[in-house]
Amino acid sequence: MDFLKIIIAILLPPLGVFMQVGFGGAFWLNILLTLCGYIPGIVHAVWVIARR
């Protein structure tokens, strides 16, 4: 299941974070990072998924 979440995080970083933590602070931070640049959003999403 984590492999699927990581694939989703690469394609749509906020969706991957949402699937992992819901509407928490990490989700909103990921939206902000994704808007600032796609790569920081991916890195943050993979980090959140791998951490839990």
Side-chain angles (χ1 to χ4, degrees):
M1 188 66 175
D2 284 341
F3 182 72
L4 179 62
K5 287 181 184 177
I6 290 176
I7 296 298
I8 291 172
I10 292 171
L11 298 175
L12 293 169
L15 180 60
V17 173
F18 174 75
M19 288 174 59
Q20 188 70 27
V21 298
F23 282 114
F27 172 74
W28 297 109
L29 176 62
N30 189 266
I31 287 180
L32 181 66
L33 288 171
T34 303
L35 289 174
C36 290
Y38 190 67
I39 300 298
I42 292 173
V43 170
H44 178 256
V46 171
W47 180 74
V48 167
I49 292 170
R51 183 179 59 148
R52 296 185 188 233

